[in-house]
Amino acid sequence: MFMSKILITGASGNIGKSVIKQLFSHLKTSVSVYPGVRNPGKSSALKLERLYQGLNFKILDFENPSTFPEALEDIDLVFLLRPSHISEVKKYFQPFINALIDKKIRGVVFLSVQGVEKSSVIPHNKIEKLISQSGIPYVFLRPSYFMQNLTTTLYDELKRNQRIIVPSGEALFNWVDVESIGEVAAVVLGHFETYTGQAFDITGYENLNFLELVRQINESTSQNLEYNSFNPISFYFYQKRTGKASGFIMVMIMLHFLPRFQPPPVISNAYEKLTGNKPNSLRKFIERERSSFSF
Ligand SMILES: NC(=O)c1ccc[n+]([C@@H]2O[C@H](COP(=O)([O-])OP(=O)(O)OC[C@H]3O[C@@H](n4cnc5c(N)ncnc54)[C@H](OP(=O)(O)O)[C@@H]3O)[C@@H](O)[C@H]2O)c1
């Protein structure tokens, strides 16, 4: 039987870990998984190695093109993820796409973002264009807002001051579980030719603002968390004082402030169609991550 050899970029991050987990759960015998990491000695890579037998680590650094040829040696398919701090698409992703062409890669599944087609300035839009113009067969996955932001980027403030601060007012966000994105990625990587040339919005079924979200967390966990909507300038200076990098703060502002001026996110049934499952609800996510919300 033909065994696909799949390079997973961003393997040690939220999405990458979930993609690997789902590939191992559903396609263990028909794929070989190659996590692309900058440092295989780092604890996150060592943890992956302990969890899954038979991983073939590759060294890959988007900021160092000399790592590309070896990382792509023997690879058929690439799961491509843009690390959030890399926004210079031409400088860092054009050489990577060129390397995919040189190595005659069978296809690429790119982790994009919902609404990408409406904004030509966001890096994902530029990466989608590079890929579609390259002639490499592709699938684009466009997820909505990750539930896991609550336990990663928003967690510092939750832990320190039992509150969420974002400049979002009452803007609605569609909440998706990263595990659902991993499931879809595994389906698409496992049957790549069936889905070639398509783009899928991966969403949950709930559009909720942060006020309603915090209410749900408090109901489920008996906490007394708060939501404070800052204006973007106060948000910038507050985050600066807590030591965050300017680039990170600007991305947070874009992600959380712009939805105030946009229509509610579109709810897609692509996840259900591709996996046959119903998307996870926020309530179930909060229940699963209960210990993270107990302060
Ligand atoms: N958060 C949301 O709500 C949301 C919604 C839609 C789309 N997205 C998109 O999802 C992506 C982020 O996914 P994530 O949450 O899984 O990210 P993450 O947890 O921050 O992980 C980033 C991964 O990229 C790797 N990485 C960092 N710099 C690298 C480099 N120079 N070369 C190669 N690898 C590098 C990191 O590996 P190391 O271990 O080496 O650091 C890590 O594995 C972004 O493109 C974001 O725009 C996010």
Side-chain angles (χ1 to χ4, degrees):
M1 189 169 124
F2 177 69
M3 188 98 167
S4 285
K5 294 175 177 166
I6 306 177
L7 176 71
I8 309 293
T9 73
S12 57
N14 298 312
I15 296 281
K17 283 189 287 193
S18 171
V19 176
I20 293 173
K21 177 177 164 190
Q22 296 299 333
L23 286 172
F24 266 75
S25 311
H26 299 294
L27 297 165
K28 198 166 180 229
T29 52
S30 56
V31 300
S32 253
V33 180
Y34 294 74
V37 294
R38 287 186 291 183
N39 177 2
K42 204 173 153 184
S43 58
S44 47
L46 294 172
K47 191 168 173 200
L48 278 176
E49 199 170 18
R50 276 198 303 278
L51 281 173
Y52 307 103
Q53 279 182 356
L55 288 176
N56 308 287
F57 282 88
K58 294 270 198 178
I59 294 180
L60 173 72
D61 185 345
F62 290 120
E63 289 155 277
N64 180 1
S66 73
T67 61
F68 299 169
E70 177 47 37
L72 294 169
E73 198 62 40
D74 293 330
I75 296 295
D76 302 311
L77 292 175
V78 173
F79 177 80
L80 178 61
L81 179 134
R82 177 193 78 96
S84 298
H85 72 280
I86 304 186
S87 45
E88 290 176 86
V89 168
K90 238 190 159 37
K91 182 170 174 191
Y92 294 112
F93 283 94
Q94 182 73 70
F96 188 69
I97 305 294
N98 292 345
L100 299 184
I101 298 170
D102 287 348
K103 289 283 181 188
K104 299 189 172 53
I105 293 296
R106 196 173 114 222
V108 56
V109 174
F110 173 54
L111 194 280
S112 186
V113 61
Q114 189 180 32
V116 64
E117 66 282 12
K118 290 182 218 132
S119 169
S120 57
V121 295
I122 62 170
H124 305 79
N125 178 297
K126 296 176 190 163
I127 296 174
E128 285 198 3
K129 281 203 181 105
L130 280 185
I131 295 171
S132 47
Q133 286 161 6
S134 73
I136 301 168
Y138 66 83
V139 176
F140 297 148
L141 303 183
R142 297 170 174 166
S144 56
Y145 190 83
F146 298 172
M147 293 179 185
Q148 278 77 356
N149 292 334
L150 295 169
T151 49
T152 55
T153 44
L154 303 176
Y155 199 63
D156 252 9
E157 188 63 26
L158 262 177
K159 208 166 155 186
R160 212 168 346 155
N161 295 320
Q162 285 76 62
R163 64 175 184 172
I164 291 177
I165 54 162
V166 275
S168 299
E170 294 181 16
L172 290 173
F173 289 78
N174 179 274
W175 298 81
V176 69
D177 188 345
V178 160
E179 295 299 328
S180 307
I181 304 166
E183 278 179 74
V184 167
V187 169
V188 167
L189 287 163
H191 305 88
F192 183 74
E193 274 68 26
T194 310
Y195 301 109
T196 300
Q198 299 187 56
F200 298 104
D201 279 8
I202 312 299
T203 71
Y205 280 156
E206 291 159 297
N207 283 350
L208 289 186
N209 66 33
F210 276 93
L211 214 57
E212 293 160 329
L213 162 86
V214 165
R215 203 173 296 135
Q216 277 207 14
I217 300 179
N218 287 341
E219 273 170 25
S220 303
T221 62
S222 307
Q223 296 286 307
N224 210 4
L225 308 180
E226 285 182 11
Y227 164 53
N228 296 154
S229 178
F230 278 31
N231 72 53
I233 295 168
S234 320
F235 181 79
Y236 181 88
F237 287 109
Y238 179 79
Q239 294 290 358
K240 259 326 240 189
R241 280 198 301 279
T242 65
K244 302 285 187 316
S246 300
F248 170 82
I249 306 172
M250 292 314 288
V251 170
M252 290 291 280
I253 292 176
M254 285 241 306
L255 191 63
H256 294 96
F257 186 58
L258 296 184
R260 290 169 81 152
F261 310 101
Q262 292 163 346
V266 173
I267 294 177
S268 155
N269 63 356
Y271 167 78
E272 195 170 342
K273 275 194 165 163
L274 287 164
T275 65
N277 300 325
K278 294 252 184 264
N280 202 10
S281 66
L282 257 170
R283 224 170 255 288
K284 282 201 178 137
F285 171 79
I286 295 163
E287 203 52 53
R288 194 175 81 204
E289 300 293 329
R290 201 182 174 75
S291 60
S292 307
F293 299 115
S294 301
F295 300 101

